[in-house]
Amino acid sequence: MSKLRLGVIGVGGIAVGRHIPAFRKLEEEVTIVAVSDVNVERAKSVAKEFDIPHTFADYRDMLSEVDAVVVCTPNKFHSEITVRALEAGVHVLCEKPMAMTAAECQAMVDAAKAANKVLSIGFHYRYMKESQAAKKIMAAKEIGEPLVVRVQALRRRKVPGWGVFTNKDLQGGGSLIDYGCHLLDLSLWLMGNPKPVEVTGTTYNTLSRQPGQVNQWGSFDHETFNVDDHVTSYIRFDNGASMLLEVSWSANIESDKESVSISGDQGGLEVFPFKLNYAKHGMLFNSEATWIPSEEDPGHLQAKNFVDACLNAAELVVKPEEALFVSQIMEAIYKSSQEKKGVQL
């Protein structure tokens, strides 16, 4: 079996901190042959650090040299780069969120189908051991049919003060599109990806526009801050289930909180930490797993699944059509907040 030739487009923190190390662990199946970045000196530095032979200032010049790429650019460029790569016959793993708009996401899905190439999105929360355990429980119908899902992705005063996270033109949004998308995607996946039919949402950025910020993750300009730092939403699905979603970079809360809680008609499930709650024999039970069999880093599992899918050895864990649902919901939340009314999907 020949090795997959991989290129990395955009060599910022996520590429260096997650993707390049993860793919380097798969040296028997894949070789990172090139990196590309508009900051050529940064690209050269990363190539030297990781012993990657080729550097390109323009990603388009890379496409003829690779079989697959990882797209790690700001969100604004996800769709354009992904579509062009797919049209060139190259498999794509694109960082989350899929793109800036649902229309851009649909263009990516269509391009993947037309090219018959693999397209996956970097929702690595699906690969966490608690998430994998929860998926098994849901597939076995141990809590029955999901009725109500409560999702919280809350950080206390942790607006990312680096990169372009607070640049709406490049990112499309703030806490929801950057952080909340992970737990929204995870929840939808655990539910079996029901079709969303109505979304009501409210976005805030009052706190981060105040002077004298207390922020644990660097500094940012409060006067130019124009993305969301706190979001609430209520989502209805075609199967009758509903979701309560709350996301924040900078909530005034006691401590950070990541929570996915699913109430089914036969029991309940908490993902972080992993627990089951149910009634039986006239009693109430709370059950914890004393051991979950996974020592793997989610980034490594994500890379492995992508490579195996490209080599026709595995089914994708994160399918592009599912990632499209996530973006449709986020877009509807932003629209609902702007129009101050519910949005039908």
Side-chain angles (χ1 to χ4, degrees), residues 159-276:
V159 175
W162 60 86
V164 296
F165 286 101
T166 61
N167 186 321
K168 188 174 183 178
D169 291 337
L170 292 178
Q171 293 296 88
S175 60
L176 175 62
I177 205 167
D178 165 59
Y179 178 35
C181 67
H182 274 305
L183 274 77
L184 175 57
D185 171 75
L186 174 60
S187 302
L188 294 171
W189 181 58
L190 293 176
M191 295 172 72
N193 290 292
K195 184 180 184 298
V197 294
E198 185 178 29
V199 174
T200 301
T202 304
T203 67
Y204 304 87
N205 68 0
T206 302
L207 192 150
S208 295
R209 292 180 61 81
Q210 297 173 354
Q213 288 293 316
V214 176
N215 192 57
Q216 297 188 66
W217 282 4
S219 60
F220 59 91
D221 187 349
H222 73 278
E223 293 185 348
T224 61
F225 190 94
N226 65 351
V227 296
D228 51 283
D229 63 10
H230 206 138
V231 175
T232 59
S233 180
Y234 179 77
I235 305 159
R236 285 197 311 109
F237 299 92
D238 62 350
N239 63 357
S242 60
M243 181 185 297
L244 301 160
L245 172 70
E246 184 182 11
V247 181
S248 184
W249 273 340
S250 56
N252 281 320
I253 54 178
E254 182 180 6
S255 59
D256 297 354
K257 184 173 185 179
E258 280 191 345
S259 174
V260 174
S261 176
I262 304 175
S263 291
D265 59 7
Q266 300 298 316
L269 170 67
E270 312 285 336
V271 183
F272 305 115
F274 184 71
K275 296 179 182 179
L276 291 177

Side-chain angles (χ1 to χ4, degrees), residues 36 38 234:
S36 172
V38 292
Y234 179 77

Side-chain angles (χ1 to χ4, degrees), residues 5-8 33-34 56 62-69 88-90:
R5 299 173 301 160
L6 183 75
V8 180
V33 298
F56 294 90
M62 173 200 289
L63 298 179
S64 62
E65 306 296 324
V66 298
D67 305 306
V69 294
V90 174

